[in-house]
Amino acid sequence: MFQVALTGLLTGLALIVAVGAQNAFLLRQGIRGEHVLPIVLTCLVSDVVAITAGVAGLGVVLERWPGVLPVAQVLGGLYLIAFGVHAAMRAWKPGALEAGEGTALTPTKAVLVTLALTWLNPHFYLDAVLMLGTVANSFGTDRWWFLAGTLVASLLWFFGLGYGARLLRGLFARPKAWRVLDSAIAVVMGTLGVGLIVH
């Protein structure tokens, strides 16, 4: 139980902690101290909806057609390995999160921008729905513990980045920090990917 939840936590963090538009926007708003709570809650609720749908939806499919699981595991494993390779490439040539100055936003506009950056990103569906749903269902009845772990990862990351942005600005602005982080992500994702395929 605990091990499955921990796997969910690590997988969730590995997927969510990356240089991307959503994280850059949250970092920018966190540094400015502008509408942080509604943005964080929007990110978190989006993850809860998408990941839960992936775990539950794929669970129903797999109950009716159990032969889908081995195929989904191989495809999910290959995707995780590819994700790990991509992280390794980012570690080779690390970037940095740029917060930027920009203009002030209304709370409504901040939430709408967050929704757009989240739900209009095809990787969000691949990661949250398909990939996490596949990995979770490989644990059978323990899949809900995996889901709990991934949601804790989202909670920790979004609140940590949003409210710790002022403290983290210097860290995330340095490519070396992303090199270490992406290297760790590459190892975690590669290991999980191989594990899924040989499971």
Side-chain angles (χ1 to χ4, degrees), residues 56 60 76 100 123 134 140 159 166 173 199:
V60 171
H123 290 288
T134 300
F159 273 94
R166 292 181 186 276
H199 185 63

Side-chain angles (χ1 to χ4, degrees), residues 179-199:
R179 173 170 283 148
V180 172
L181 193 55
D182 281 326
S183 296
I185 290 172
V187 171
V188 170
M189 300 309 266
T191 302
L192 286 170
V194 172
L196 254 190
I197 292 172
V198 301
H199 185 63

Side-chain angles (χ1 to χ4, degrees), residues 77-146:
L78 292 174
Y79 177 76
L80 284 174
I81 292 169
F83 194 99
V85 169
H86 186 62
M89 291 171 65
R90 288 198 311 264
W92 185 257
K93 291 185 177 179
L97 279 180
E98 298 294 338
E101 294 302 320
T103 55
L105 300 173
T106 64
T108 301
K109 189 168 183 181
V111 169
L112 290 174
V113 168
T114 306
L115 287 170
L117 292 174
T118 303
W119 291 95
L120 297 180
N121 178 5
H123 290 288
F124 176 67
Y125 298 94
L126 282 172
D127 295 345
V129 180
L130 188 60
M131 203 286 298
L132 287 176
T134 300
V135 177
N137 279 281
S138 71
F139 291 105
T141 54
D142 284 337
R143 63 183 178 272
W144 302 112
W145 288 103
F146 181 90

Side-chain angles (χ1 to χ4, degrees), residues 2 13-14 38 42 51 63 76 128 149:
F2 174 76
L13 285 174
T42 300
I51 300 170
E63 281 175 12

Side-chain angles (χ1 to χ4, degrees), residues 4-18:
V4 174
L6 181 61
T7 302
L9 176 69
L10 293 175
T11 307
L13 285 174
L15 281 173
I16 202 172
V17 180

